[in-house]
Amino acid sequence: MKLQFNIEYIAHYGENLELNVVWSNQETSHHAMVTTDGRNWRCDLEMNSHAAQLDYYYSVTRNGVEIRHEWNMLPHRLDLSAARASRYTAFDHWIDMPDDSYLYSAAVTQCVANRKQTDTQSTRHACTVQLKARAPQLRSGQRLAVCGACAQLGEWDTARAVVMAEHAPNEWVATLNAAQLPTDVEFKFVALTEEGEPLWENGHNRSVTLVTLQANEVVVYELSTAYFPIAPLKVAGTVIPVFSLRSEKSFGVGDFGDLQRMIDWVALTGQRALQVLPINDTTITGTWQDSYPYNSISIYALHPQYIDINQLPPLADKKNAAKYEKLRKELNALPQIDYERVNEAKRSYLRDVFLQEGAKMLKDSAFKNFFTANKDWLVPYAAFCHYRDLYGTATFSQWPDHHTLSKAELAAMADSRTRIYKDLSFWYFVQYCLDKQMRAAHDHARSRGVILKGDIPIGISRDGVEAWVEPRYFNLNGQAGAPPDAFSTNGQNWGFPTYDWDALLADGCSWWVKRFRKMAQYFDAYRIDHVLGFFRIWEIPIHAVHGLLGQFSPALGMSADEIRGYGFNFNESTMTKPLITDWMLERIFGKHATLVRSVYVERMPDSHTYCMRHDYDTQRKVEAAFAGKKSDDDIWVRDGLYALISNVLFVHDRKVAGLYHPRIAAQTDLAYETLHDTDKEAFNRLYNDYYYRRNNDFWYQEAMKKLPRLVEATRMLVCAEDLGMVPHCVSWVMNDLKILSLEIQSMPKDDRLKFGNLNNNPYRSVATISTHDMPTLRQWWEEDWDRTQQYYNTMLWRADAAPHPIPGWLAEDVVRNHLMSPSMLCLLSLQDWMAMDENVRLADADAERINVPANPRHYWRYRMHLSIEQLMQTHEFNKHIKELVSQSGRL
C-alpha cells in the first residue's frame, strides 16, 4: 500500500520537516519530508502492515536535531478502512496545542463527556474521500455529522446528514464515495442528539475542491476544528483525602472501597469531580508521624492503609476473623484516625490473608502480568520495606549493608525461585491488591462520569526508595521548602532533598514521565503540588531548621559590585553572618539574656558584637541541644537562638563563590533595623528587583525545559497549585501549556487586593474556598473578625455586622458565589460543602482542620463525622447541592 502525506508549513532557512509514525508496538519511525518551495511538504511511504489505523505527527529538525514538534497528545490518525484501497493521500495541517486542550484530556473525553468511540466502517468504493475534523465541545450523547449541498451529504437536510465516526477522542471522520461528490464540495458540520434540535457549527459554509483521484485511491482531508455555540464546560466537585473517608464498612481509616462509595455521593449530587490527596506509601517510622501524605517512601507504591479488607478473600479462621471485626468496629467508631493502631491492624490482616491466599495468588496470571509491568519500581520498593523492617529504620545510610542494590540482587529479587523473592513476596502481594482496588475505583469513577483527580507531591523522602536506588537525581545535602508566607512566618522546611535537574534533563525527564504515566492508571486529572518548584525550588541548607536561610535554586545570584551598584554599603564579612548585639539579646531573650551570653554566644575581640559558640552555631546544633526540652522557657531560648542564627542580610550562593542572595524577609529582622535609612531604601530596591524581576526570564526558560515534557506525558487534565511567592513568569508558562491555576478568594494573586474578585477568575482555573493547608471556611470566619467584617461588607455586599459563627445560609452564599465564578472547576472541601447545613455539619469547626503548615509535626488524622451511608441519606442537603450545581451551569 502506498501512503502520501502532505502538509503546508513555512520553514525557516536550515529547517526541515519530518514525519514520525507511531506504530502499534509504540515504536516510532522517522521519515524525512521533501519540498520544492519551503512551504508545501510531502512524504511517500510503502506500507506492508494490515493495521486498521496509523498514528503520526510532524516535527521540525535542524541539522538532524528536532527543535519543534506538533502537540502530540492526540496525533494525526489515518483510518485504513477502504477495502479496495491501494493508495492513501492525506492533506494535513500543523497542530499546535489548542487553547481548549483541556477538552482533549481524559478528564473530559473519558469522564464528563464520555462517548463510545466507533471504528470507521469498511468501504468498497472505487475511490474514497475521507473528511476529518475535531469537535472538542461535544458533550456525552452528541454526535458529529456532515451535511452539505450534494445528495450524498443530505442536501442541507440534517435528517439525511452523514453521521461521522469518532475514531479518536474528539476527532471524527466521514467516509464518502468520491463518485457521488462534485468537484467542489460545500458543507458544514452539525451536532446531533437523540433528542433536541440539530446544532450547526459556527461560521460560513466549508468547501473542499477535490483532487483528481486514481483508481482505488483514498484522499483524506484534515479540516480545521468545528466550533459550536455551546457554553464552556464547567464542573463542580469535592476535595477530601482518602484517609478522611468513613463508611460503615471501613477499618478506622478511609479505603479504596470507601472511595467508590464517595464517588457515588458525588454523582448523586450532580458533581463531576472528586479530588484526593496523595495516596502513596509513607511508612518510615511506623508511628503517627508517617501520617503526612506528602512524604512518601515511593512515588509509585500505594499506602497499605487504603486496602479495603472487604474486597480481599475472607479469613478461614473464624475466631481470628471475629477478633479483627471487633477491632474494626472499635477503630471505626473513633472520631479521628488512630494511625498507629489502624496501620498495625491492617498490616496484620494482610499478613494473615497472605499466609492463607498468597501462594495461590502469586501464581495467578493477573498477578504475573502486574509484576512484569511494574517490577522496575516494585522490586526496589519491596526490598526497601524488607530491609526497613529487618534493620528497624528507613534511614538506609544506617543499615549495616545494602546501601545500594546491584543488578544481580535486583534480578534475584525478581526470580520466583529464590529465597529473597519469597522474603519480598508479601510486599508484591500487598501492592498487587492495592493496585487492583485503586484501578477498580478509577473505573467506577469513569462509569459514573466523575473525574478522579490525584495529587503529585513536589518532593520525595530522603528516607525512601528513590533516594536509595536513584540518588543521582537528587541533591541530598539540601532541603526543599517554601519561603515565608501566610502559613508560616519562618518559611516551611519540608525536609525533602531537592532535584538535580541537570541529571533529570539529561535523561529526558524520564523519571518524571514514568511517574506521571503510573499516576494516569489511577486518575484522569492531577494537581501539581507546588508547581513553583519546576521554576525554582526554595533550597534550605542541611544545617537549617527554618526556611529563612534558604535561597531559590536555580537563581541568578548577585555579585558584591552589583549589590553596591544599588547604592547599598555592602560588607560581605558582616552581612552574611549573624549580627548579635547586647540590645538584640535583651529584646529577644529578656530575662534569659544573661544565660544566653554565658552559654550560647561569645563576644567578638575588640567589638561590641557577639558570635555563636561553635557548639550552637547552626540551627540543627541548637535543635539537638534542646531535644526533649519542652518547658516554655526552653522553647523561648531555643526559638530565640534560631532567630539569632538567621539574623543576616545576605546568604552565600550555594554553587558559585562570590555571589549572594538577599535573605528572604530580612526587613522583619533586627539586622535590617540597624541600617541607615538610605541603606534600607537601597536594600529594598535590590530586594524587590531580585525576588520579583531579576529571575523572571531565567525561571521561564527553566520551567519550559521541564513542564512541557510532563504535560505531554499523559492525557490527564493538568492543574497546578501556584500559591505563595509567585513570579510573573509562572502565569506565562501556565498560559503557554494551558495548565489550570488555583484561585482562592482569600489569597488573591494581585497583592493590591485584600480579597479576589471571583468574577475575574480565569476560565482555565480551579476555584476553591480553602485547601487542606488552610482553615476551613468556618474556622477562617472566626480567626480575624475585622477581616471577616471587611469580607462580609465588600464581597457579600451586606452592611450590617457579620454574624458569628457563620450561619449555614451565609456559608451557602459563599459557596454559591464560588460556583458562579467563571472557573472551569469549582472544587470545594467536604467541610465547606457541609458548612451550608447546620443540621449536617460537625458541631466543632476546629475538629475539621486537616493540616497546620506552621507545625511540621502535625498529625494528619481528620475524618468525616458522618459515614458515607449517612451522607447519602441526607436527602434535603444532597438535593440542595444538586440545585446549586445546576443553577451555576455545572450540572
Side-chain angles (χ1 to χ4, degrees):
M1 184 186 300
K2 297 181 182 296
L3 306 177
Q4 184 183 97
F5 300 88
N6 300 271
I7 186 169
E8 183 178 339
Y9 183 93
I10 302 175
H12 296 289
Y13 180 77
E15 293 180 346
N16 290 286
L17 254 64
E18 198 168 71
L19 172 72
N20 308 278
V21 179
V22 183
W23 301 99
S24 57
N25 61 3
Q26 298 305 306
E27 291 186 1
T28 303
S29 60
H30 309 282
H31 309 273
M33 304 189 74
V34 297
T35 182
T36 58
D37 58 6
R39 181 175 187 139
N40 295 289
W41 298 79
R42 188 185 80 249
C43 182
D44 292 290
L45 296 180
E46 289 274 357
M47 180 175 168
N48 298 319
S49 169
H50 296 289
Q53 295 173 326
L54 193 70
D55 289 344
Y56 59 97
Y57 66 94
Y58 297 100
S59 61
V60 181
T61 64
R62 184 187 293 275
N63 298 323
V65 178
E66 181 183 291
I67 60 172
R68 185 175 181 235
H69 63 256
E70 288 186 290
W71 183 58
N72 57 10
M73 176 181 282
L74 287 173
H76 303 268
R77 174 164 289 179
L78 181 64
D79 273 325
L80 308 173
S81 57
R84 296 171 58 181
S86 60
R87 177 184 177 86
Y88 281 80
T89 302
F91 292 94
D92 296 321
H93 60 273
W94 183 275
I95 299 176
D96 279 320
M97 178 184 284
D99 286 341
D100 57 5
S101 59
Y102 48 85
L103 294 177
Y104 294 85
S105 69
V108 176
T109 64
Q110 304 299 119
C111 301
V112 297
N114 188 16
R115 297 179 297 270
K116 185 178 180 181
Q117 292 180 25
T118 52
D119 294 330
T120 306
Q121 292 185 348
S122 178
T123 61
R124 304 190 65 85
H125 304 315
C127 295
T128 303
V129 172
Q130 287 186 354
L131 301 179
K132 280 197 308 182
R134 296 184 175 187
Q137 293 172 287
L138 299 191
R139 303 290 195 257
S140 181
Q142 290 184 311
R143 297 164 297 154
L144 193 68
V146 56
C147 189
C150 66
Q152 187 175 183
L153 298 182
E155 297 176 318
W156 301 113
D157 180 357
T158 56
R160 295 162 51 203
V162 176
V163 177
M164 305 171 75
E166 189 178 15
H167 70 158
N170 290 336
E171 184 167 274
W172 301 76
V173 59
T175 302
L176 308 172
N177 185 351
Q180 298 178 12
L181 293 173
T183 301
D184 294 312
V185 186
E186 188 178 10
F187 60 94
K188 289 190 78 167
F189 293 113
V190 59
L192 303 178
T193 56
E194 293 182 5
E195 299 178 2
E197 291 294 319
L199 194 63
W200 291 94
E201 68 169 316
N202 297 334
H204 300 294
N205 294 350
R206 298 174 182 252
S207 64
V208 168
T209 300
L210 300 182
V211 297
T212 303
L213 277 72
Q214 304 172 13
N216 299 324
E217 181 179 7
V218 178
V219 63
V220 182
Y221 292 97
E222 184 179 73
L223 306 171
S224 60
T225 300
Y227 290 106
F228 294 86
I230 297 175
L233 176 69
K234 294 171 67 177
V235 170
T238 291
V239 183
I240 186 170
V242 175
F243 61 74
S244 297
L245 298 175
R246 180 192 296 272
S247 76
E248 305 297 337
K249 296 183 177 181
S250 48
F251 207 128
V253 68
D255 57 45
F256 291 148
D258 295 336
L259 187 56
Q260 292 201 40
R261 299 179 188 96
M262 194 65 185
I263 288 165
D264 290 335
W265 177 79
V266 167
L268 174 72
T269 53
Q271 302 176 69
R272 306 300 292 275
L274 178 60
Q275 177 179 327
V276 299
L277 298 193
I279 55 175
N280 298 105
D281 190 358
T282 59
T283 309
I284 295 176
T285 65
T287 68
W288 65 266
Q289 294 180 52
D290 298 341
S291 65
Y292 179 35
Y294 289 88
N295 192 29
S296 63
I297 63 169
S298 169
I299 60 174
Y300 301 105
L302 303 175
H303 202 308
Q305 73 175 350
Y306 296 129
I307 197 73
D308 176 10
I309 65 170
N310 301 289
Q311 296 183 51
L312 297 174
L315 293 176
D317 185 335
K318 301 301 181 185
K319 184 177 180 181
N320 199 26
K323 178 194 72 172
Y324 280 117
E325 178 60 14
K326 180 181 178 182
L327 180 59
R328 185 196 70 78
K329 289 181 178 178
E330 177 188 344
L331 293 174
N332 213 33
L334 297 175
Q336 295 178 308
I337 300 165
D338 187 331
Y339 184 90
E340 294 173 14
R341 291 182 67 201
V342 162
N343 277 273
E344 181 182 356
K346 283 204 163 183
R347 186 188 289 198
S348 176
Y349 192 96
L350 283 164
R351 287 279 184 190
D352 289 345
V353 174
F354 178 68
L355 289 173
Q356 175 182 300
E357 306 285 341
K360 181 175 68 176
M361 292 181 71
L362 295 181
K363 294 177 182 177
D364 188 80
S365 60
F367 170 80
K368 291 179 179 179
N369 291 337
F370 165 78
F371 187 85
T372 300
N374 295 276
K375 66 180 180 180
D376 287 349
W377 66 264
L378 181 61
V379 172
Y381 163 78
F384 181 88
C385 293
H386 173 70
Y387 294 125
R388 175 199 62 200
D389 296 347
L390 179 66
Y391 298 132
T393 179
T395 305
F396 51 86
S397 61
Q398 297 178 7
W399 295 347
D401 49 32
H402 294 99
H403 295 154
T404 60
L405 276 183
S406 67
K407 290 183 179 179
E409 286 179 296
L410 288 169
M413 292 171 175
D415 186 343
S416 60
R417 298 167 296 180
T418 63
R419 172 60 185 273
I420 189 63
Y421 177 93
K422 294 177 174 60
D423 290 341
L424 306 185
S425 57
F426 169 69
W427 297 108
Y428 299 155
F429 160 80
V430 169
Q431 287 302 313
Y432 167 66
C433 294
L434 288 163
D435 177 82
K436 185 177 180 180
Q437 291 187 9
M438 186 58 206
R439 285 176 182 267
H442 184 209
D443 291 342
H444 185 66
R446 285 185 168 183
S447 72
R448 299 303 308 268
V450 172
I451 302 166
L452 199 54
K453 182 183 176 189
D455 193 338
I456 295 186
I458 185 62
I460 60 109
S461 173
R462 63 179 61 250
D463 293 327
V465 180
E466 285 73 36
W468 180 40
V469 299
E470 299 176 298
R472 65 188 182 278
Y473 292 136
F474 310 102
N475 297 315
L476 296 172
N477 61 345
Q479 305 174 95
D485 56 20
F487 300 134
S488 177
T489 56
N490 288 322
Q492 299 177 48
N493 185 347
W494 304 323
F496 309 137
T498 56
Y499 292 104
D500 185 339
W501 280 108
D502 291 338
L504 288 162
L505 288 166
D507 284 351
C509 286
S510 61
W511 186 88
W512 277 100
V513 168
K514 288 186 288 186
R515 182 181 187 181
F516 277 54
R517 287 178 177 168
K518 180 62 179 176
M519 195 171 188
Q521 296 175 6
Y522 305 135
F523 300 101
D524 290 311
Y526 63 92
R527 166 190 177 269
I528 303 178
D529 171 47
H530 194 66
V531 73
L532 303 183
F534 291 91
F535 296 76
R536 77 294 186 272
I537 196 71
W538 189 247
E539 189 172 47
I540 304 163
I542 200 71
H543 57 71
V545 172
H546 291 159
L548 292 175
L549 292 174
Q551 61 188 252
F552 285 126
S553 178
L556 303 173
M558 307 178 76
S559 68
D561 287 342
E562 282 184 282
I563 295 171
R564 295 186 184 107
Y566 282 88
F568 183 76
N569 187 23
F570 177 64
N571 186 327
E572 185 275 338
S573 63
T574 60
M575 293 182 175
T576 60
K577 298 174 183 177
L579 179 60
I580 306 172
T581 65
D582 282 306
W583 70 265
M584 292 178 183
L585 294 175
E586 294 294 335
R587 183 184 298 186
I588 294 174
F589 297 100
K591 64 182 182 180
H592 302 295
T594 301
L595 170 68
V596 172
R597 287 190 189 95
S598 63
V599 177
Y600 300 106
V601 301
E602 57 186 357
R603 187 178 292 276
M604 298 287 288
D606 303 321
S607 174
H608 65 283
T609 63
Y610 297 82
C611 67
M612 302 298 300
R613 294 181 185 269
H614 175 74
D615 290 344
Y616 308 103
D617 61 0
T618 72
Q619 291 181 343
R620 288 294 179 198
K621 289 180 181 180
V622 171
E623 180 184 50
F626 283 80
K629 298 180 179 180
K630 299 181 180 179
S631 72
D632 290 344
D633 285 345
D634 285 330
I635 293 173
W636 181 355
V637 173
R638 183 201 65 188
D639 290 351
L641 294 174
Y642 288 161
L644 277 186
I645 292 167
S646 62
N647 188 34
V648 298
L649 290 173
F650 293 87
V651 297
H652 289 278
D653 188 284
R654 298 193 66 200
K655 292 184 178 180
V656 183
L659 296 182
Y660 309 90
H661 305 259
R663 206 217 74 187
I664 191 74
Q667 293 92 333
T668 63
D669 257 347
L670 301 179
Y672 177 83
E673 192 174 324
T674 66
L675 297 176
H676 294 295
D677 287 347
T678 55
D679 274 342
K680 287 180 180 178
E681 181 183 353
F683 184 86
N684 291 342
R685 281 190 288 109
L686 73 85
Y687 182 95
N688 290 332
D689 274 351
Y690 172 84
Y691 281 110
Y692 298 104
R693 288 180 283 273
R694 177 182 180 87
N695 290 284
N696 260 322
D697 290 335
F698 176 64
W699 286 337
Y700 174 84
Q701 297 299 331
E702 287 296 310
M704 291 302 286
K705 293 176 186 176
K706 308 158 191 171
L707 284 173
R709 302 170 191 252
L710 310 186
V711 169
E712 293 178 354
T714 74
R715 289 184 52 237
M716 291 188 288
L717 178 66
V718 189
C719 309
E721 182 268 286
D722 56 335
L723 305 177
M725 198 171 180
V726 184
H728 294 301
C729 60
V730 173
S731 62
W732 307 344
V733 172
M734 291 178 64
N735 284 332
D736 285 350
L737 301 180
K738 315 302 184 284
I739 298 173
L740 275 64
S741 64
L742 180 61
E743 304 297 328
I744 301 177
Q745 190 176 26
S746 60
M747 296 179 63
K749 293 189 170 75
D750 186 341
D751 56 14
R752 296 169 298 180
L753 301 178
K754 184 86 170 180
F755 307 108
N757 185 337
L758 292 173
N759 291 327
N760 292 336
N761 281 8
Y763 172 69
R764 278 199 306 266
S765 69
V766 180
T768 193
I769 298 171
S770 62
T771 74
H772 61 273
D773 281 333
M774 299 170 62
T776 63
L777 171 61
R778 294 167 64 200
Q779 285 183 302
W780 181 87
W781 197 262
E782 301 303 311
E783 277 188 346
D784 184 333
W785 281 34
D786 290 338
R787 180 184 59 188
T788 298
Q789 187 64 48
Q790 186 176 357
Y791 180 84
Y792 182 74
N793 297 146
T794 61
M795 296 292 108
L796 300 179
W797 300 100
R798 298 178 185 276
D800 56 329
H804 291 274
I806 186 171
W809 61 266
L810 191 53
E812 181 182 325
D813 276 1
V814 178
V815 168
R816 181 185 291 106
N817 289 347
H818 281 75
L819 288 170
M820 295 300 292
S821 75
S823 297
M824 179 184 175
L825 304 184
C826 180
L827 307 181
L828 308 181
S829 70
L830 180 66
Q831 301 95 304
D832 288 344
W833 280 115
M834 287 184 170
M836 298 189 300
D837 193 319
E838 294 173 38
N839 296 317
V840 172
R841 69 192 194 186
L842 183 63
D844 181 10
D846 291 334
E848 295 182 327
R849 185 75 183 259
I850 294 176
N851 181 40
V852 180
N855 177 12
R857 296 187 178 276
H858 181 75
Y859 193 171
W860 298 60
R861 62 190 312 201
Y862 165 72
R863 217 167 166 221
M864 55 191 289
H865 64 288
L866 298 177
S867 70
I868 300 173
E869 291 88 346
Q870 291 172 322
L871 186 61
M872 296 286 279
Q873 296 303 311
T874 57
H875 299 300
E876 288 302 315
F877 175 61
N878 295 336
K879 179 182 177 183
H880 194 44
I881 290 179
K882 192 167 186 177
E883 289 172 349
L884 290 173
V885 172
S886 178
Q887 291 166 7
S888 64
R890 297 180 181 272
L891 189 62

